[in-house]
Amino acid sequence: MTQPLAHSPARPISAQRLLLGCGVVAGPFYVIVALAQAFTRQGFDLTRHPWSFLANGELGWIQTANFVLTALATIAAAVGLRRALAPGRGARWAPILVGAFGASMIGAAIFPADPAMGFPAGTPEGPGAVTTSGILHLAVGGVGFLCMAAACYVVASRQAREGRKSWALYSRLTGTLFLGSFVGIASGGGVAWANLLFVAGIVAIWSWLSLLSLNLSRA
């Protein structure tokens, strides 16, 4: 009499893969929640208003929660990157820089951007009043953007050393676009090209983190 085939136990999901999974979903979550608001909030215009403005007004709590939840997922992803990249070039600094970007999003949630340029509805047109919260929002955001752009270059250096030239080029291009988009929005707020470039930079950096996390989780 033949014996029934034994079923092999399911392979448990490691903590590293769970942490990297946070990196896979962080970007899509942030972008979807932000765009859902951008297309439904009265008076919001993607060509004029940065996504940070969504944290203002009666429904501003949605974007604030979006900042915090995405930040926590990004910090978790940074821990996963530390495990996945060790040992080797970038194993220390790439996770630190990605984690700093996550921390900056918590700072952006604590210190919302100043209402301006007619948003939220009822706000006068023009740059509006500059408050301490608005200044700190820009400051923590700037630090976070610089850290994330630097993370792209650090990871690119490792990928180039490993002979993964296409990945290295992609990482460098993403870091450059992300940095350029921040410079554009910081210097040309309210200008259509600067805001659209900023949207492109945001989508690009989150796509990069998602693809990097997915790639490392499969290694």
Side-chain angles (χ1 to χ4, degrees):
M1 182 175 179
T2 58
Q3 295 293 324
L5 295 175
H7 294 283
S8 58
R11 183 182 177 184
I13 299 176
S14 67
Q16 177 178 305
R17 291 181 67 192
L18 285 173
L19 291 166
L20 290 172
C22 291
V24 174
V25 303
F29 176 83
Y30 178 78
V31 171
I32 289 171
V33 173
L35 286 179
Q37 296 175 82
F39 290 123
T40 57
R41 295 278 302 270
Q42 181 183 359
F44 191 87
D45 185 348
L46 279 171
T47 66
R48 299 184 64 226
H49 304 131
W51 293 1
S52 292
F53 281 19
L54 291 167
N56 292 303
E58 184 178 348
L59 296 176
W61 65 269
I62 299 175
Q63 184 63 2
T64 299
N66 192 22
F67 276 134
V68 173
L69 293 175
T70 306
L72 295 176
T74 303
I75 293 170
V79 178
L81 289 175
R82 179 69 181 90
R83 297 186 179 193
L85 294 174
R89 176 173 291 192
R92 179 180 181 184
W93 280 106
I96 288 175
L97 292 166
V98 171
F101 177 61
S104 78
M105 295 189 71
I106 295 178
I110 295 172
F111 306 110
D114 293 322
M117 294 179 287
F119 188 84
T123 302
E125 289 293 336
V130 178
T131 67
T132 301
S133 177
I135 293 172
L136 291 174
H137 181 89
L138 185 61
V140 297
V143 171
F145 272 57
L146 289 173
C147 286
M148 197 59 169
C152 289
Y153 299 132
V154 171
V155 171
S157 176
R158 178 186 177 116
Q159 291 165 335
R161 171 167 254 187
E162 294 174 344
R164 305 169 72 189
K165 295 182 179 180
S166 296
W167 259 104
L169 177 61
Y170 171 53
S171 295
R172 291 191 185 102
L173 290 176
T174 301
T176 301
L177 173 60
F178 189 57
L179 184 60
S181 71
F182 176 74
V183 173
I185 198 70
S187 60
V191 180
W193 70 263
N195 280 281
L196 293 177
L197 179 63
F198 186 65
V199 171
I202 290 291
V203 172
I205 200 66
W206 285 122
S207 298
W208 175 81
L209 182 61
S210 291
L211 292 173
L212 176 66
S213 299
L214 182 62
N215 181 264
L216 290 173
S217 69
R218 291 176 172 176

